[in-house]
Amino acid sequence: MTGFIPMDETHALFETRRQKMLALREKGVDPYGQRFDVTGSIGAVRERFAEGHCERIAGRITAHRDMGKSHFLDLTDSTGRIQIFIHAKEVGPEAYEIFKLLDMGDFLGIEGEAFITKTGEPTLRVKTLNVLSKALRPLPDKWHGLSDVETRYRQRYLDLLANPESKTVFKQRIAIVREIRRFLEERGFLEVETPMMQPIAGGAAAAPFKTHHNALSMDLFLRIAPELYLKRLLVGGFEKVFELNRNFRNEGVSRRHNPEFTMLEVYQAYADFQIMADMVEEMVTTVAEKVIGTLKIDHKDSEGNVLRTIDLTRPWRRASYRDLIEEAVPGWFSLTPEQRREKCHAMHVELSPEMADFEVTQHVFEKLVEEKTFNPCFVTHCPKELVPLAKQNLANPDVVDVYELIINGQEISPGYSELNDPIVQRQRLEDQAGEEKQNIDDDFLTALEHGMPPAGGVGIGIDRLVMMLTGAESIRDVVLFPHMKPRA
RNA sequence: GGGUUGGUAGCUCAAUGGUAGAGCAGCGCCCUUUUAAGGCGUUGGUUGUGGGUUCGAGUCCCACCCAACCCA
């Protein structure tokens, strides 16, 4: 079912709980309580469990086993679950009346004495109980959980409560981001913050979101990349900088695209794309080992069968764009543009008629190389038309000194020897802009004209990196609150 | 944008065109050591929305909404 239209407030399940909430108030109990000082987290209490000790814990009621006058409940917090035992005679009639107004999902703080039940379960015998929060809506089924993907995305909090593996992925994402920051900071990179609202959305080719600044009476764009500002910092004397934050692109959503996504960009003065490739290789393997604990990442289907295992073991393959295409389609570069179109037809690679020849080649690359490359591969020396912000190769001016890192059939990270010639840069941006000259960031070009050191730069799409490392098949499984159309 | 599949109770799922059901949750009762506790009973539905075909539609047809997957 859709699961999203929430039950309305007259629904019996809601009304029953609301009445209990009101009954608590009538007894002088605030159903939305205050600070509750615990002696430890539930995990810690379990860890040091000793019969006879008194503990104060807080958490959600996640199970209730009713034995008549005695009750066993599970209390759960972020560190674990513990059983508590409530007996009518031991807590007294007043507390027992309050207890009867509780439901699964309510937050409870209790003080109790540790003991072990017959069945060997560490348990706290409740002495006093405090209502911390009354849940007016039921939580997902304790046994079947929450499987409806639409509800999992729209009401992520329910997914996090019901599906521990979902929570694990997000904790891994957090750890990945943390380890990336640590890795860069240990190497002397400074994390900077540059504008998310830009007068001209530069640094990539993508449709921007538009907004408006009232006081300044000007349109602004949410950034599609931080690149042009980070390069201004290279001009300004910052030599090793990075930014790890959100970009916005006003394009479709798909398994691999969310309109806002997290990007890492790193720039290092006096370096080149090869140095940056080395760094990315070291960074990703370091993060994988620390967070995932292995360099062999299993990707599974919905039934849990391993579809493929991505092997991150170093050294990663490096091969030129040209060589990889020749590998996939021998003789490709000796064909005429017409022959290439025919070849595509024969190979069932669909083309649109308006594609330029370099785009036909790029399409072949995407279909026959990128989508079939699962273990890491640095694709180097791409055609210059594809990359307007990188240095041309000294030996072959038709290609640029860049890599494109492919893992899991997706672009994970581009790396450049950054173009620092302001005259060439202006020309390349003008060629790319075509008629739309107003999209050229003159302030950036002015900055370049003051001198930018040669530099290596990389971008890493964090969402796709997390997908690759956690085995997620959809970006929505690694973004806490993915964009969805409103239900109503 | 196109194609395919799906949307039934709070959750997880059933239901040849012929009375909309089960388990869990809820509610009531029994039970003082349970572990998805158990037993007995019971409430709960505009079957995504709107039309149509039919004696009769959850089921067939059309349009729309939302989602997943594939394609562009």
Side-chain angles (χ1 to χ4, degrees):
Chain A
M1 70 152 291
T2 64
F4 183 60
I5 303 167
M7 52 188 206
D8 98 6
E9 294 171 13
T10 62
H11 193 287
L13 292 177
F14 190 99
E15 184 55 23
T16 304
R17 285 172 178 244
R18 200 177 69 89
Q19 289 301 334
K20 290 179 181 174
M21 182 270 287
L22 294 172
L24 285 170
R25 278 198 202 287
E26 275 176 27
K27 291 182 183 299
V29 174
D30 184 355
Y32 300 100
Q34 305 292 323
R35 158 176 171 169
F36 184 82
D37 293 328
V38 297
T39 52
S41 69
I42 286 172
V45 166
R46 273 196 93 105
E47 191 75 19
R48 62 165 182 247
F49 192 84
E51 283 193 270
H53 281 201
C54 213
E55 300 277 11
R56 287 165 63 86
I57 58 166
R60 249 192 219 274
I61 300 172
T62 51
H64 177 201
R65 293 175 288 279
D66 180 354
M67 304 296 298
K69 291 200 172 49
S70 60
H71 300 257
F72 294 91
L73 284 75
D74 286 348
L75 226 51
T76 303
D77 73 3
S78 66
T79 64
R81 171 206 74 87
I82 195 165
Q83 177 167 273
I84 62 174
F85 175 79
I86 293 180
H87 190 279
K89 282 182 187 161
E90 293 179 18
V91 293
E94 213 169 295
Y96 194 68
E97 287 304 308
I98 292 165
F99 165 75
K100 287 200 292 190
L101 296 169
L102 298 178
D103 286 295
M104 300 262 279
D106 292 353
F107 281 93
L108 196 59
I110 65 115
E111 183 167 356
E113 184 190 323
F115 78 106
I116 307 261
T117 65
K118 274 189 204 174
T119 54
E121 179 82 13
T123 304
L124 294 179
R125 186 188 306 273
V126 174
K127 303 292 184 202
T128 65
L129 60 85
N130 294 259
V131 181
L132 303 182
S133 185
K134 182 79 195 148
L136 296 179
R137 294 177 187 274
L139 265 34
D141 187 283
K142 63 181 173 185
W143 184 243
H144 298 100
L146 179 69
S147 62
D148 181 70
V149 291
E150 191 170 347
T151 308
R152 289 184 45 223
Y153 296 153
R154 289 187 191 276
Q155 294 177 278
R156 180 68 85 185
Y157 47 93
L158 297 180
D159 178 40
L160 294 170
L161 286 171
N163 299 316
E165 63 284 3
S166 177
K167 193 171 184 184
T168 298
V169 167
F170 289 109
K171 285 162 93 172
Q172 286 177 324
R173 178 180 177 129
I174 291 162
I176 288 164
V177 169
R178 182 179 61 233
E179 291 303 331
I180 288 172
R181 287 201 161 97
R182 189 198 306 265
F183 180 96
L184 290 166
E185 279 161 12
E186 279 172 357
R187 284 158 183 77
F189 287 87
L190 300 178
E191 181 168 10
V192 298
E193 296 173 273
T194 68
M196 296 223 182
M197 296 192 295
Q198 304 176 348
I200 294 169
F209 286 93
K210 187 175 174 179
T211 186
H212 187 79
H213 192 300
N214 292 340
L216 296 183
S217 185
M218 67 183 291
D219 288 337
L220 287 166
F221 299 93
L222 300 190
R223 73 177 180 197
I224 57 175
E227 173 156 358
L228 303 188
Y229 286 87
L230 293 169
K231 284 178 171 172
R232 286 168 168 88
L233 295 178
L234 291 173
V235 172
F238 280 95
E239 293 177 338
K240 297 172 91 173
V241 294
F242 74 98
E243 185 159 13
L244 199 176
N245 217 313
R246 218 68 61 84
N247 287 347
F248 308 85
R249 296 187 182 177
N250 201 345
E251 293 169 353
V253 298
S254 79
R255 207 161 58 85
R256 299 176 177 192
H257 297 86
N258 196 54
E260 54 182 297
F261 60 99
T262 301
M263 183 71 119
L264 168 68
E265 289 202 10
V266 188
Y267 292 86
Q268 179 174 344
Y270 318 119
D272 69 356
F273 80 101
Q274 299 281 11
I275 288 176
M276 300 318 270
D278 292 342
M279 189 191 74
V280 164
E281 193 174 320
E282 188 182 349
M283 178 163 72
V284 172
T285 50
T286 299
V287 168
E289 279 176 333
K290 280 194 174 174
V291 177
I292 312 298
T294 175
L295 293 179
K296 301 217 166 43
I297 314 289
D298 286 339
H299 282 236
K300 299 171 183 169
D301 65 16
S302 51
E303 273 85 50
N305 307 307
V306 175
L307 292 173
R308 59 179 165 272
T309 299
I310 293 170
D311 187 352
L312 299 177
T313 305
R314 299 177 74 180
W316 291 356
R317 187 178 182 202
R318 298 185 189 198
S320 76
Y321 184 83
R322 191 185 173 94
D323 289 349
L324 286 165
I325 290 176
E326 278 288 328
E327 207 174 89
V329 190
W332 178 263
F333 288 99
S334 18
L335 301 177
T336 65
E338 292 70 29
Q339 288 172 320
R340 286 176 184 170
R341 286 182 172 276
E342 284 166 25
K343 187 83 181 172
C344 283
H345 186 72
M347 294 184 300
H348 304 290
V349 173
E350 285 182 37
L351 301 171
S352 50
E354 68 275 12
M355 281 181 174
D357 188 47
F358 80 88
E359 289 172 317
V360 170
T361 301
Q362 172 62 9
H363 195 67
V364 166
F365 171 80
E366 286 171 8
K367 291 290 156 193
L368 301 180
V369 179
E370 182 174 308
E371 289 183 10
K372 297 183 187 329
T373 300
F374 298 106
N375 288 338
C377 178
F378 288 106
V379 182
T380 64
H381 300 99
C382 300
K384 70 171 193 301
E385 294 87 348
L386 298 171
V387 192
L389 297 167
K391 259 191 196 306
Q392 274 157 277
N393 185 263
L394 285 177
N396 177 3
D398 292 336
V399 301
V400 282
D401 279 339
V402 301
Y403 75 76
E404 184 65 63
L405 173 60
I406 310 292
I407 313 178
N408 193 26
Q410 302 184 37
E411 293 173 25
I412 294 281
S413 162
Y416 301 171
S417 294
E418 301 294 346
L419 179 54
N420 64 340
D421 179 332
I423 308 295
V424 174
Q425 179 68 90
R426 182 178 293 277
Q427 187 59 52
R428 298 260 291 279
L429 288 178
E430 283 178 357
D431 290 349
Q432 189 195 38
E435 297 301 303
E436 315 211 326
K437 295 282 188 281
Q438 72 279 7
N439 290 342
I440 293 175
D441 189 340
D442 271 309
D443 286 337
F444 164 66
L445 290 168
T446 301
L448 275 198
E449 286 160 7
H450 287 86
M452 185 182 93
V458 305
I460 297 185
I462 297 298
D463 309 276
R464 290 182 181 183
L465 178 71
V466 173
M467 286 169 68
M468 187 275 288
L469 289 174
T470 60
E473 296 300 316
S474 170
I475 194 169
R476 291 191 182 88
D477 294 326
V478 302
V479 172
L480 279 168
F481 299 101
H483 280 278
M484 305 282 279
K485 275 198 176 187
R487 190 70 182 78

